[in-house]
Every structure is written in C-alpha cells, then in structure tokens.
Amino acid sequence: VDIVLGANKYGKAEIRLLRVDRDAPAHHITDLNVSTTLVGDLAATHLTGDNSGVLPTDTQKNTVYAFARDGVGEIEDFGLRLARYFVDSQPTIHRARVRIEQYRWDRADGPHSFVRGAGTRTATVTYDGDAAWVVSGISDLTVLNTTGSEFHGFVRDAYTTLAETKDRVLATAVTARWRHGSASPGERGWAASHADAVRHLLAAFAGTHSLSLQQTLYAMGQRVLQHCPELVEVRLSLPNRHHFLVDLSPFGRDNPGEVFFPADRPYGLIEGTVLRAGAADAEPAW
Amino acid sequence: VDIVLGANKYGKAEIRLLRVDRDAPAHHITDLNVSTTLVGDLAATHLTGDNSGVLPTDTQKNTVYAFARDGVGEIEDFGLRLARYFVDSQPTIHRARVRIEQYRWDRADGPHSFVRGAGTRTATVTYDGDAAWVVSGISDLTVLNTTGSEFHGFVRDAYTTLAETKDRVLATAVTARWRHGSASPGERGWAASHADAVRHLLAAFAGTHSLSLQQTLYAMGQRVLQHCPELVEVRLSLPNRHHFLVDLSPFGRDNPGEVFFPADRPYGLIEGTVLRAGAADAEPAW
Amino acid sequence: VDIVLGANKYGKAEIRLLRVDRDAPAHHITDLNVSTTLVGDLAATHLTGDNSGVLPTDTQKNTVYAFARDGVGEIEDFGLRLARYFVDSQPTIHRARVRIEQYRWDRADGPHSFVRGAGTRTATVTYDGDAAWVVSGISDLTVLNTTGSEFHGFVRDAYTTLAETKDRVLATAVTARWRHGSASPGERGWAASHADAVRHLLAAFAGTHSLSLQQTLYAMGQRVLQHCPELVEVRLSLPNRHHFLVDLSPFGRDNPGEVFFPADRPYGLIEGTVLRAGAADAEPAW
Amino acid sequence: VDIVLGANKYGKAEIRLLRVDRDAPAHHITDLNVSTTLVGDLAATHLTGDNSGVLPTDTQKNTVYAFARDGVGEIEDFGLRLARYFVDSQPTIHRARVRIEQYRWDRADGPHSFVRGAGTRTATVTYDGDAAWVVSGISDLTVLNTTGSEFHGFVRDAYTTLAETKDRVLATAVTARWRHGSASPGERGWAASHADAVRHLLAAFAGTHSLSLQQTLYAMGQRVLQHCPELVEVRLSLPNRHHFLVDLSPFGRDNPGEVFFPADRPYGLIEGTVLRAGAADAEPAW
C-alpha cells in the first residue's frame, strides 16, 4: 500500500467539572475544564474499525469524574494522576496528555458563596509511561500600560507607513505556559509556584520600559525564570491589542494621548520562548 | 397605500473607546463600549432615500470620541451628555438612547499599569427632548452558592421527571439593571450608588436561603431598593446555570454533593422586575 | 409595602433537538434550538418560594422532547402545539411564548447524509389562552452588493467627516421577522410562505438601487408584504457591515473600488418595521 | 547567562480583506482573513529592544492590501507571493508563513449581489528562502449521517458505562488540511484540486459504513489521496458531535432513533494524519 496512517490521537475535550469541598465550615470549590488526549496502538480502529484497543472517550470522561471524588487538589497533581492512570492501566495507550483549565472564583459574602473572577489557571501534563512533564500556565490575563512603551527604529520598506512613537498604550492578553524542571512539586508546591510566576509576569509587564512587545515578552519570561528556580522554560503568546489615538483635529481638538480606539482586528501576534540554558527536553509534540 | 413604515431607529453600535486621564501621577483609565440609537423624522430616508434628516452613524461615532476629549467621568453622565446633544442639536431627532458598557480594570504594580477584572458596569440613558431616564446596571456577574438552595413543591404533570431537592448548587450570571428615580445623581453620586447596588445584589444572593431562583431574584431586587433610595426599579435576568450531581454509583462510589457537571444548554432563564410602588413611568420602549 | 413584584417570566432556553424522520428511504432531519417562556400567577414563588404554581423548566424541556416524538413538522406548528399545551394544561400559566431556531442542513451524497448550510429559520409563537400570534423569520443571512449603493445628502454638523459616496459596497447580516395575519397557515402552508419571504428579501436587497440602508430596509419589507398576502408586518434589523476602501496611495497605487477592509466594530445598526396599514395588533410585548 | 531566548516568531493576525473584481459585467468577490508570521534574526528586539531587524506587523498588513491590488487569484498563489516577498526582501527574515481563510459567498440575484455560504476554504503557505510548502484545507464543514455508524467492541474497564451500539447518529465539524507534493499547482490548478478534495471528503464521510469515527477519518483521508495525485498528506481533526437518544420512557413513549439531544460539551476529538508512503518532508513546525 502506498497510503498509510500517520500520527493520530484521540480523547475527550472540555469535560466540565465542579468539585465542592465541604469538610470545613467554609466550603471550597474547584471549577475545571479538562481535556484528555491519548496516543498508542490505534491503527486497527482506523484501518478496520476494530475497537479492541480503544478506551472510549466516554470512559475517559467518567474517569475524570470518578477521580474527582477523591479530591482534585492542585490541577498539576490531578493531571498527573489521570495521565498516569490512562497509560499505566491500558496496554494499548503509550502516551497521555491531560490539559486542564481552572476558572477563578473569589469568595463572596459568607462561607458558601463565590464570585467568578478574571483569568484562568492552566496545566498541561504529559506522560509517556516513563517520564512526565508538567507545564503550568495562565490564559486571559489582560493587561495594559498607559505609558512606558515606545516603538521606533524598525525596518522601513516600500509598504511601511507606521509612524515611530516614543509613547504609546501597550495592551495584551497574556497566554503563558511555564514548564517545570521536574514532575514533582518543589518545596513550595504547585500553588505557590503558580502564584509567584503570575506575580512576576505582571511585575515584568508593568516594570519594563518597553521598546517593543518582544522586549516585554523576553523580560516577562526572564523574570519568571530568575525568581522561580523550579521552572525551566516560559512560553508566551502576546497579541498586541492595538490602541489607536483618535484624530480629533477635524473637530478643532488636540488629543494628547487621551482618547483611543481599541481595535479588534487585525492584531500583532508576538510569540516566543525563554528558557534556561541546558534545560532538559520539553515534552513530546502533539 | 396599504403598506406603511412602522417604528424605526438607527445608530452606531459598539464604539470602543479608551480614555486615559494623565493629570495625576497615577493614571486613570476608562474603557467603554458605546452604542447610540436615534429616533425621529426618518420616513424620508426609508421611503425615498432622501437623507437630509439623517445624522450619519459615522458622525455619531465621531461625537462620542470628541466628547470624550473633555473627560468621560461616570458613564451615566457621559450618556446623558451624548443623548441630550443628539436630540437638542438635531431638529429631526426626537429621542436618543445611549447604551454604555464599562469594562473593569484593576490597578496593577505601578502607577501606569492595569489588569482587566471580571464584571461589566452598564448604563442606558434615554432622552426625548424633555425627560431623561437613567438605568444603571451590571452584566456578567457570575455567582454561585454551594448550599442554601432548595427546589420542591412544584407542579408535577405527565412530563415531570425532576426530583425534588433540599440542597443544590445555585449558580447564575447576573444581568441587572436598575432605574434611577431622577436623571440627576443623588448626593452620593453615580459611582457610589452603583457600588452599593452591586454590593446589595451580592449580599442578597449570598444571604438568601433560596426555595427557587425566583425567590432569590426578588430578594436581590428588594434589597437593592431597600438600601438605595435613589432607585425605583430593578430588572433582573438570571440564567440558571445548572450543576448536575454526577452519578458515580456505576463505579461503586457515592457522591455526597461533591462532584458536579456544569451544563451548557439548555438552561433555565428567570427574568423579573422589582419596583417601588407608584414609581414614575419607565423610559419609552425601544 | 412599597416594594412590589413587576413583570416576570421564566422558561427553558436553548433546548437543542434533532428529529430524524426515517419513514422514507431518504431520511429527513429537523435540527432545532427551542426556548420556552411562561407568564402567569407566579408571585408566590418570588415572594415566599412557594412553587405550587411553577411548572419546572426541566418539565418544559421534557415536553419539547416528548412532543417531538409525534413529529415536528413546520416549526410554526410545533411552536403553536407547545404554547397551547403550556397555557391550556396549566391553570397558573396565562401566556406562553415558544421561540424556535431551525438550522439549515442540505442533503449530501446518499440518502442518510447531510451538510450544514448557512442561515437559520426562526419562528416565535405567542399564545394567551385565547389568541395566538405567529412570527416567522430568518437570522444570519449575510448579503453583499458590490455596487448600486450610494450615501449622500445627509446632515453635516461639527462632528461630520464622512465623505459622500456615489458607489459603495453594501453588506449586512439580515435578521428579519414577519408576522402572519392569522395563526393558521395559509393555503401554501408555512414552508412555502417562508421560502417566498426569504426569496423576496433577497430579491429586494439585490434589486434595490440604494441611497441609504434604510431605503433598502423599507424596500425589503415592502416587497415581502406585496408578495405574501398572508403576512401583515415585517421587522428588520440590519447591521451595516462597513467595508472601507483601503488607501493605497502611500504605495503609489490607486484603488478603484477593488481592495476593502471589512471592519468589525463599530457598525451602523438600522432597524425598522414595515407593516400593512390597519393590521391587527401585534403579539404582547415580553 | 543561563537564561536564553528560544524559538520565537511574530506577525499580523486576522487581516480582513475583500477584493472586488469588476472587469466582467458580473462582479467577483474574494473575502479573506490573512495572518502572516515571520521567523528570523530577531534576538536583538527581544534582548535590547533594537528593532532594526523588525519589519513591523503594520507593514505586513499594508503589504497584504497592496498585493491584493494586483489581484488575489487562488489563495495558495496569494500566500506564496506574500511569503516569498517577506523572506526574499528582508535580510533578517528567514522563514514566513501565510495562513489564509477564504469565506464562501454564493451569487444571489443579479450580477453584483452575493449571499454568504457555509464552510471556509483555507491555505497555509510556508517558505524558508529555498523550499515552499502549500497546505490547502477546509474548516467548519459540518456533516451528519443518520445511520450507518456503529460503535462496539471497545475496551471496558472499571469506569466504562457506555453501551455498545449498532446504529447511531454520527456528526462532526470537519477541519481538514491537505499538503500538496509541490508548491506549483498541478495541471488542474488549485481551485479544481480544492473542489475535488472537498468532494471526496464528503463522499467518504457519507459512503463509509463506520465502526468508529477513526475509521471514518482514515477513509476520508485515504479517499482524498487516492483521487488527488497532487496531494501527499491529509490531516483531519474531527470533533464527535454527540447526539444522545432522549429517554422518553418516563412519558410512556418509545424512541426508535427519532428524538436526539445534540450535546455541546464534552465532545470526543479524533485527530489523525493519512499520508502517502515516502512523501517528502512536511513543512517545518511553527
């Protein structure tokens, strides 16, 4: 045959789960969106429809709910438990990836009430039967600086009309993921590590006098690695949420950096990785 | 002719605007989404394409930006200024409605940096050349109680399978709008009034032992009116974000209110108005 | 008491339903999104949590599925059946509204295969125990003319910068709803009536030399009423999907109406009603 | 230093573009969403904010519009033109990727009117200064079979509750991308090649008696490669849009495969590649 099956994977996407811990008088909630992906000896189901090696995606969903009965804890741990279970219990499954989004809830008045906050904590755990990789992160962290951002000295070609600027609004919706050097939590544990990483991302965004969004990106990754020794790599995706100064001169008005039009599309998209030299290999690509 | 033009209106929707106030060392930002709608003598453009009475939607957009140059302030005031301008300056325009969403930003590290928060403040201002109506509100305020919610004693007919419950998770994404008795701010001003209303909505959601989401809705509206004398009416739209207890018995596990599936669709939708008896008439419908 | 309950309603939103008809060798599918809303003697559940008058939204959902077992047919009929059932069977319910979206599927190769098409057929049925109102419609019908659209002669004030144009791209995503004069289908039946209305909307959009989007709106409504005697009112909501000519002069190029930037926000929003003079009253507002 | 810059890239995302061809009496439109991504010697801007090697994303946008002035043609060609320009004209840029979505418009009444259809044609072109890779595709092609789909014989473990089935509804929203063996169009040209690939995807979906969605996936890829000799690889992502049979037995009704609940989340996600044995290497990963 000259036509063959290449890379393939399958799983259950977006398993929504709320875990309520009622042990203490003040309840605690964990609100997750879990996606599982499995890789293994799956040629038969593709070629002949023989499903004898297929753990149904419905079962993967059930497993997530059943495991949550024993507590979720930190999402990195929950992901590790699930990924290891799928590979270790299923002879046909050789690799598993579990991706978790955790939605933020803040406590409201009283011990049983909560308000949804902004920002999403993420974890992606990969396990191949031997090694495990843990990548923590955040998404939808939208930030803005009203000053301290310049952009000039760039290439000018026949299609360049952009004016140089010494002061602009810089805004982005941060998606960041940081890889741990080990699949075991450091002394501080996953939660404190995550809080620190987010704190340093924010501090670097706010504290960097920026000559380009790329420079801000690098400063954000660098600062996280400098302060979080348990991390070896930071991957950042930063859409440039352009804020255009509105021309008010037709109405006889100046506009000294006060009135802006936040545009939807198109947007710049700056993506990059900052890593510790000599870091161990990243998880296998999917 | 037996075919005629009925009610009609037009405007510019979703004018995005960021206002930066740089007067103080710590900058201040106002991030808005403004929609304008005008009603008036507009038959000609419909019937013959004669646009001599049409203020272009592009001009409405320009007006929003130009007015922002003089400062935005509270969105209720900004809406009033715009609505009055359109009606008072244009002979053909008899009514204007300005609807504003204000996105929440919290201060981050340093005087020029901000992080986007959850929840959106809203204001809808209507002006007819004589009277003005101000309706403030909030959207996307998502809240959840882990206990203190029952639902039983309801009608059972041939299609009823729902079990009665003495303890369920209650969650909703609040959209609330509250009408002011006057188009002038009370002594506290618009901002403090808004903060109070939101605080009382949350307190009533968290503090009401609920026998139905309708009861919670009424309690929320009632509490706002009891504590905010400047308000005369509260309108609430509460989707019931169902959280279904997962059946873990096939896996030999109980589930004492701990593991839930938050469903997307369908969802209950409870909507109602609570108002002060004898309140003045609401704004004209659009 | 000076605080009272005002208008209120409740129901189940977005009940997704696929009906497969297998009677003929070529299967037939009906893919719906149904939302039910009930109004009645519901003060008790708001004021005290007494649910003895509340038909649960879960039961409303069950009713939709159970009724579908006997066939769906045209969505206007399905909505009428449901609305009448809720009011006629429940002493506490005085009005019901059923809103249905039907997604378009085209037949693919073979008798059992389908491809999702663009455009959504809608119906909103209202019943008050006596009279019934049927409003059919369409949403997400996106259309564009490359010429035959002008816009000039409009009001110019201090904030007007828009240039007059004799030739522009005109694009909109039509949401249209048309009310039937009777709750009984005419001789042609609901399906043929719907197809005709859509055909005339499209023909009027394409065939009208437009001096304003308002003129196009009126022409669309007028044409539907002229050709569909069973209809008495057409309501249109037309966002003006602006296509801005890109200025290529910085690159030494002209742009004779060839390269456009389709903008997202803001957008003009033109809404209006065209009706038959002396038409019977519309359904009660919700 | 022990912290270093890793892989990085940047570009302009979602450049919306409408091209109108007015040469013939019947106009022709091309409606695109273009995203550009560049890779090269970009360390300086990250490390020091030196932008002397940075072609601004604003310029990339301008280039897309300027190139469209000379006609767009098939999106594969337009992508090749752009990707080659960026790399060949900019010493600091070593690789470019241009990703294009083309929205479907069907001709409406008359020579200048169009209606938006369902389904999106895609092309991703990669160029490294030497070789070029062209990957064509489609997204949002939603298809459904009412019969001819079974699922049984799968692994059963402690968390498996799924019943085996000999007849189910199978539905998916196809995202498919197929790589050309050469960056030159074959004799048929890009458009005919694309139409054929889509036709064969649909025919395989409709014509395969399916024992698993994986089997359908493989059949779809295999059939495209069998009939399109210019293609060497097909990548498919198939969400399993579950349709659950509604249990009507509480209402005393059977449900012989007629009434279904189409669920939103979670969903199975089946992804795989089918390729010609010995095919040349795929484009570099991004």
Side-chain angles (χ1 to χ4, degrees):
Chain A
V1 292
D2 83 322
I3 295 174
V4 296
L5 177 67
N8 60 87
K9 61 190 175 187
Y10 80 113
K12 196 67 136 193
E14 303 211 35
I15 304 163
R16 294 279 291 111
L17 162 65
L18 180 81
R19 176 68 165 88
V20 181
D21 293 322
R22 304 179 183 273
D23 313 329
H27 292 176
H28 179 78
I29 60 174
T30 309
D31 187 12
L32 304 183
N33 194 21
V34 181
S35 298
T36 59
T37 313
L38 307 182
V39 170
D41 291 332
L42 295 161
T45 184
H46 288 85
L47 302 180
T48 68
D50 171 356
N51 295 315
S52 58
V54 175
L55 186 74
T57 66
D58 187 76
T59 300
Q60 298 173 39
K61 176 196 70 179
N62 287 346
T63 307
V64 170
Y65 287 124
F67 275 42
R69 178 63 185 84
D70 298 319
V72 167
E74 301 302 324
I75 55 177
E76 290 84 356
D77 282 326
F78 191 56
L80 280 165
R81 245 180 106 202
L82 285 162
R84 285 176 171 143
Y85 171 79
F86 289 126
V87 175
D88 293 346
S89 69
Q90 299 300 325
T92 56
I93 302 305
H94 302 162
R95 277 194 293 154
R97 185 186 61 177
V98 178
R99 183 170 182 279
I100 303 178
E101 297 182 330
Q102 180 172 15
Y103 304 120
R104 175 178 172 170
W105 289 88
D106 299 317
R107 202 168 284 282
D109 294 331
H112 312 121
S113 299
F114 302 87
V115 182
R116 187 85 150 71
T120 300
R121 177 175 166 184
T122 64
T124 302
V125 172
T126 306
Y127 176 65
D128 69 0
D130 182 14
W133 293 261
V134 176
V135 178
S136 302
I138 198 158
S139 62
D140 292 324
L141 175 71
T142 303
V143 290
L144 183 148
N145 287 333
T146 52
T147 189
S149 171
E150 312 185 21
F151 190 53
H152 45 78
F154 43 76
V155 171
R156 302 199 78 90
D157 75 356
Y159 301 110
T160 302
T161 57
L162 187 69
E164 307 208 324
T165 177
K166 297 284 185 168
D167 195 5
R168 63 172 180 175
V169 168
L170 186 70
T172 185
V174 178
T175 298
R177 294 180 296 159
W178 42 91
R179 182 160 56 94
H180 296 263
S182 157
S184 303
E187 288 181 20
R188 294 184 303 170
W190 304 114
S193 172
H194 191 272
D196 272 6
V198 173
R199 188 162 57 84
H200 288 296
L201 285 174
L202 278 173
F205 179 81
T208 301
H209 185 95
S210 172
L211 300 174
S212 69
L213 185 50
Q214 282 92 335
Q215 188 186 20
T216 296
L217 180 152
Y218 186 76
M220 293 169 77
Q222 183 184 39
R223 178 154 177 161
V224 170
L225 292 180
Q226 283 169 341
H227 289 82
C228 301
E230 71 276 17
L231 304 179
V232 297
E233 179 185 354
V234 181
R235 305 166 196 160
L236 289 149
S237 177
L238 302 182
N240 195 343
R241 299 282 180 210
H242 306 301
H243 284 69
F244 296 112
L245 198 67
V246 178
D247 179 10
L248 301 177
S249 63
F251 324 124
R253 310 297 303 267
D254 65 349
N255 186 1
E258 301 201 335
V259 180
F260 293 89
F261 165 55
D264 293 313
R265 296 190 294 183
Y267 54 93
L269 183 57
I270 312 299
E271 299 184 286
T273 296
V274 183
L275 70 168
R276 217 176 280 291
D281 285 347
E283 72 276 19
W286 286 75
Chain B
V1 293
D2 81 324
I3 295 174
V4 296
L5 177 66
N8 60 86
K9 59 190 177 188
Y10 80 114
K12 197 66 138 193
E14 304 209 34
I15 304 163
R16 294 279 291 112
L17 161 65
L18 181 81
R19 177 68 164 85
V20 182
D21 293 323
R22 304 178 184 274
D23 314 329
H27 292 175
H28 178 79
I29 62 174
T30 309
D31 187 12
L32 304 183
N33 194 21
V34 181
S35 298
T36 60
T37 312
L38 307 182
V39 170
D41 290 333
L42 296 161
T45 184
H46 289 85
L47 301 180
T48 67
D50 170 355
N51 296 314
S52 58
V54 175
L55 186 74
T57 66
D58 188 75
T59 300
Q60 298 173 39
K61 176 197 71 179
N62 287 346
T63 307
V64 170
Y65 288 124
F67 275 41
R69 178 64 184 85
D70 298 318
V72 167
E74 301 302 323
I75 56 176
E76 289 84 357
D77 283 326
F78 192 56
L80 281 165
R81 247 179 105 202
L82 286 162
R84 285 176 171 143
Y85 171 78
F86 290 127
V87 175
D88 292 346
S89 69
Q90 300 300 326
T92 57
I93 303 304
H94 302 162
R95 278 193 293 154
R97 185 185 62 177
V98 178
R99 182 172 182 278
I100 304 179
E101 298 182 329
Q102 179 173 16
Y103 304 120
R104 175 178 171 169
W105 288 88
D106 299 316
R107 203 167 283 282
D109 295 331
H112 312 120
S113 298
F114 301 87
V115 182
R116 187 83 149 72
T120 300
R121 176 175 166 184
T122 63
T124 303
V125 171
T126 306
Y127 175 65
D128 69 0
D130 181 16
W133 293 261
V134 176
V135 178
S136 301
I138 197 157
S139 62
D140 291 325
L141 175 71
T142 303
V143 291
L144 183 150
N145 287 332
T146 52
T147 189
S149 170
E150 313 184 21
F151 190 52
H152 46 77
F154 42 76
V155 172
R156 303 199 77 90
D157 74 355
Y159 301 111
T160 302
T161 56
L162 188 69
E164 306 209 325
T165 178
K166 296 284 184 169
D167 195 4
R168 62 174 182 175
V169 167
L170 187 69
T172 186
V174 179
T175 298
R177 295 180 296 159
W178 43 91
R179 182 160 56 94
H180 296 262
S182 156
S184 303
E187 287 182 21
R188 293 183 303 170
W190 304 113
S193 171
H194 192 272
D196 272 5
V198 173
R199 189 163 55 83
H200 288 296
L201 284 174
L202 278 173
F205 179 82
T208 300
H209 185 94
S210 172
L211 300 175
S212 69
L213 185 48
Q214 282 91 336
Q215 189 186 20
T216 297
L217 180 151
Y218 186 76
M220 293 170 77
Q222 184 185 38
R223 179 157 176 159
V224 170
L225 292 180
Q226 284 170 340
H227 289 83
C228 301
E230 70 276 18
L231 304 179
V232 297
E233 179 186 354
V234 182
R235 304 166 196 161
L236 290 149
S237 176
L238 302 183
N240 195 344
R241 299 283 182 210
H242 306 303
H243 284 69
F244 296 112
L245 197 68
V246 179
D247 179 10
L248 301 178
S249 63
F251 324 125
R253 309 297 304 267
D254 65 349
N255 187 1
E258 300 201 336
V259 179
F260 294 89
F261 164 55
D264 292 314
R265 296 191 294 184
Y267 53 93
L269 184 56
I270 312 299
E271 299 183 287
T273 296
V274 183
L275 70 167
R276 216 176 283 288
D281 285 347
E283 72 275 20
W286 285 75
Chain C
V1 293
D2 83 321
I3 295 175
V4 296
L5 177 67
N8 60 86
K9 60 190 175 186
Y10 80 113
K12 196 66 137 193
E14 304 210 35
I15 303 163
R16 293 280 289 112
L17 162 65
L18 180 81
R19 177 67 166 86
V20 181
D21 293 322
R22 302 179 184 275
D23 313 329
H27 291 177
H28 178 78
I29 61 174
T30 310
D31 187 12
L32 305 182
N33 194 21
V34 181
S35 298
T36 59
T37 312
L38 307 183
V39 170
D41 290 332
L42 296 162
T45 184
H46 289 85
L47 302 180
T48 68
D50 171 355
N51 296 315
S52 58
V54 175
L55 186 75
T57 65
D58 187 77
T59 300
Q60 297 172 39
K61 176 196 71 180
N62 287 345
T63 308
V64 170
Y65 287 124
F67 276 42
R69 178 65 184 84
D70 298 319
V72 167
E74 300 303 323
I75 56 176
E76 289 83 356
D77 282 326
F78 192 56
L80 280 165
R81 247 180 104 203
L82 286 162
R84 286 176 170 145
Y85 171 79
F86 290 126
V87 175
D88 293 345
S89 68
Q90 300 299 326
T92 57
I93 302 304
H94 302 163
R95 279 194 291 153
R97 186 186 60 178
V98 178
R99 182 171 182 278
I100 303 178
E101 298 183 328
Q102 180 172 16
Y103 304 120
R104 176 177 171 170
W105 289 88
D106 298 317
R107 203 167 283 282
D109 295 332
H112 312 120
S113 298
F114 302 86
V115 182
R116 186 86 149 72
T120 300
R121 177 175 167 184
T122 64
T124 302
V125 172
T126 306
Y127 175 66
D128 69 359
D130 182 17
W133 293 262
V134 176
V135 178
S136 301
I138 198 158
S139 62
D140 293 324
L141 174 71
T142 303
V143 290
L144 185 149
N145 287 332
T146 52
T147 191
S149 169
E150 312 184 22
F151 190 53
H152 46 77
F154 42 76
V155 172
R156 303 199 76 90
D157 75 356
Y159 301 110
T160 302
T161 57
L162 187 70
E164 306 208 325
T165 177
K166 297 284 186 170
D167 194 4
R168 61 173 181 175
V169 167
L170 186 70
T172 187
V174 179
T175 299
R177 295 180 296 159
W178 43 90
R179 182 160 56 94
H180 296 262
S182 156
S184 302
E187 286 180 23
R188 292 183 304 169
W190 304 114
S193 171
H194 191 273
D196 272 5
V198 173
R199 188 162 57 83
H200 288 295
L201 285 174
L202 279 172
F205 179 82
T208 301
H209 186 94
S210 171
L211 300 175
S212 69
L213 185 48
Q214 282 91 335
Q215 188 186 21
T216 296
L217 180 151
Y218 186 77
M220 293 169 77
Q222 183 184 39
R223 177 155 177 163
V224 170
L225 291 180
Q226 285 169 340
H227 289 81
C228 302
E230 70 277 19
L231 304 179
V232 296
E233 179 185 354
V234 181
R235 306 166 196 162
L236 289 149
S237 177
L238 302 183
N240 195 343
R241 300 281 181 211
H242 306 301
H243 283 70
F244 296 113
L245 197 69
V246 179
D247 178 10
L248 301 178
S249 64
F251 324 124
R253 311 296 303 270
D254 65 349
N255 186 1
E258 300 202 335
V259 180
F260 293 89
F261 165 55
D264 293 314
R265 296 191 295 182
Y267 53 94
L269 182 57
I270 311 300
E271 300 183 285
T273 297
V274 183
L275 69 169
R276 215 176 283 290
D281 285 347
E283 71 276 20
W286 285 75
Chain D
V1 294
D2 82 322
I3 295 174
V4 296
L5 177 67
N8 61 86
K9 60 190 175 188
Y10 80 113
K12 198 65 138 194
E14 304 210 35
I15 305 161
R16 294 280 289 112
L17 162 65
L18 181 80
R19 177 66 164 88
V20 181
D21 294 322
R22 304 179 183 274
D23 314 330
H27 291 177
H28 178 79
I29 62 174
T30 309
D31 186 12
L32 304 183
N33 194 21
V34 181
S35 297
T36 60
T37 313
L38 307 182
V39 170
D41 290 333
L42 296 161
T45 184
H46 288 85
L47 302 179
T48 68
D50 171 356
N51 295 314
S52 59
V54 175
L55 185 75
T57 65
D58 187 76
T59 301
Q60 298 173 40
K61 176 196 71 180
N62 287 345
T63 308
V64 169
Y65 287 124
F67 276 41
R69 177 64 184 87
D70 298 317
V72 168
E74 301 302 323
I75 56 176
E76 290 83 355
D77 282 326
F78 191 56
L80 281 165
R81 247 179 105 203
L82 286 162
R84 285 176 170 143
Y85 172 79
F86 289 126
V87 175
D88 293 346
S89 69
Q90 300 299 326
T92 57
I93 302 305
H94 302 163
R95 279 193 292 154
R97 184 186 62 177
V98 178
R99 181 170 183 279
I100 304 178
E101 297 182 330
Q102 180 172 16
Y103 304 120
R104 175 178 171 170
W105 288 88
D106 298 317
R107 201 167 284 281
D109 295 331
H112 312 120
S113 299
F114 301 86
V115 182
R116 186 85 148 71
T120 301
R121 177 174 167 184
T122 64
T124 303
V125 172
T126 307
Y127 175 66
D128 69 0
D130 182 15
W133 293 261
V134 176
V135 178
S136 301
I138 197 158
S139 62
D140 292 325
L141 175 70
T142 302
V143 290
L144 183 149
N145 287 332
T146 52
T147 190
S149 169
E150 312 184 21
F151 190 53
H152 46 76
F154 43 76
V155 172
R156 302 198 78 90
D157 74 356
Y159 301 110
T160 302
T161 56
L162 187 69
E164 306 208 324
T165 178
K166 297 285 185 169
D167 194 5
R168 62 173 181 175
V169 166
L170 187 69
T172 187
V174 179
T175 299
R177 294 180 296 158
W178 43 89
R179 182 160 56 95
H180 296 262
S182 157
S184 302
E187 287 182 21
R188 292 183 305 169
W190 303 113
S193 171
H194 192 272
D196 272 6
V198 173
R199 188 162 56 84
H200 288 295
L201 285 174
L202 278 173
F205 179 81
T208 300
H209 185 94
S210 172
L211 299 175
S212 69
L213 185 48
Q214 283 90 336
Q215 188 186 20
T216 297
L217 180 150
Y218 186 76
M220 292 169 78
Q222 184 185 37
R223 178 155 176 161
V224 170
L225 292 180
Q226 283 169 341
H227 290 82
C228 301
E230 70 276 19
L231 304 179
V232 296
E233 180 186 352
V234 181
R235 304 165 197 163
L236 289 149
S237 177
L238 302 183
N240 194 343
R241 299 284 181 209
H242 306 302
H243 284 69
F244 295 113
L245 196 68
V246 178
D247 178 10
L248 300 178
S249 63
F251 323 124
R253 310 297 304 268
D254 64 349
N255 187 0
E258 300 201 335
V259 180
F260 293 88
F261 165 55
D264 292 314
R265 294 191 294 182
Y267 53 92
L269 183 57
I270 311 300
E271 300 184 285
T273 297
V274 182
L275 68 169
R276 217 176 282 289
D281 285 346
E283 72 275 21
W286 285 74

